Amino acid sequence: MDLYSGYINKLIDELAGLPGIGNKSAQRLAFHLINLPEARVQRLAKAMVEAKQNVRYCKDCFTLTDSEICPICANDRRDHTTIMVVENARDLAAYEKTGKYTGVYHVLHGAISPMLGIGPHDIKLKELMERLSGEQNIGEVIIATNSSLEGETTAMYISKLIKPLGIKVTRIASGVPVGGDLENIDEVTLLRALEGRVEL
Ligand code: ZN
């Protein structure tokens, strides 16, 4: 026998399918939502649907944006000859928060992980290579993937692809804790990792 109504069970199932939310949290969230005023719930649902319908990848760097080109790529004052490769849009946000990086980015949307069956074709790597061969004056590619096994594997893979193009490839310093998500690292540590980058 189901303990809750069918609608609540359905809601719990949907919430439990989200990352980082276990069954208990899903139940707690479901009951919280049920107890909210209907207007609040409508607003939340609308925000989710609108984000899904309107957010897309930047044509150049593949970060998530509302327009064809993201504000960073569209900014003439940024150094478009330096590209920092990050795993996801949250890592990009972490570097942007330091306010010290003036180049542009490339967002991979993942990292190579043989264990999880994620290969080079499952991330935006082909797009990076197309971008590099399409642009003439790239001075440096900074690989800022996480220092996890997946991040290091990805960094090595990318550097091997880029080096034959004659473009300087650097890797952020390993002051970043192993396995740590870049977004959880403080700005000083991020800047130190960036400044201490080494050529691969
Ligand atoms: Zn962009």
Side-chain angles (χ1 to χ4, degrees):
M1 191 190 82
D2 277 340
L3 293 173
Y4 307 127
S5 95
Y7 287 111
I8 291 187
N9 278 331
K10 204 168 145 193
L11 181 56
I12 291 172
D13 277 353
E14 288 295 336
L15 292 168
L18 298 173
I21 299 188
N23 220 352
K24 266 199 180 141
S25 299
Q27 289 186 32
R28 200 166 43 78
L29 282 171
F31 287 112
H32 177 75
L33 289 168
I34 294 295
N35 288 317
L36 287 177
E38 189 174 337
R40 272 289 306 276
V41 178
Q42 294 281 10
R43 256 202 339 261
L44 174 64
K46 192 163 165 247
M48 287 197 282
V49 172
E50 282 184 347
K52 182 61 199 170
Q53 288 175 339
N54 294 300
V55 174
R56 51 181 145 165
Y57 292 137
C58 168
K59 199 164 73 61
D60 288 347
C61 74
F62 290 86
T63 194
L64 298 171
T65 178
D66 294 350
S67 44
E68 195 181 3
I69 306 266
C70 77
I72 296 170
C73 290
N75 187 343
D76 286 342
R77 287 193 301 268
R78 305 286 296 223
D79 168 16
H80 286 254
T81 68
T82 304
I83 298 178
M84 184 193 289
V85 179
V86 292
E87 289 185 22
N88 55 55
R90 298 190 312 271
D91 293 343
L92 180 156
Y95 274 101
E96 278 304 285
K97 255 195 257 165
T98 68
K100 294 274 163 44
Y101 176 68
T102 54
V104 292
Y105 297 90
H106 185 90
V107 183
L108 293 171
H109 293 281
I112 297 169
S113 170
M115 256 175 52
L116 296 174
I118 300 169
H121 298 291
D122 299 311
I123 59 177
K124 302 282 178 205
L125 190 50
K126 181 168 62 76
E127 290 80 355
L128 173 65
M129 298 316 293
E130 281 169 4
R131 186 176 173 190
L132 293 178
S133 51
E135 289 185 40
Q136 299 302 317
N137 53 350
I138 302 296
E140 180 180 355
V141 174
I142 303 168
I143 304 179
T145 50
N146 289 340
S147 51
S148 60
L149 178 61
E150 291 78 16
E152 293 297 348
T153 305
T154 308
M156 283 306 127
Y157 192 91
I158 295 177
S159 80
K160 276 194 196 129
L161 285 182
I162 297 179
K163 271 199 206 156
L165 301 177
I167 297 171
K168 182 180 173 189
V169 186
T170 57
R171 174 85 173 111
I172 55 165
S174 52
V176 178
V178 171
D181 275 353
L182 287 181
E183 59 170 327
N184 292 327
I185 293 160
D186 68 78
E187 289 162 29
V188 177
T189 309
L190 269 189
L191 278 179
R192 221 174 271 152
L194 181 59
E195 278 159 11
R197 66 188 185 271
V198 288
E199 191 158 355
L200 289 175

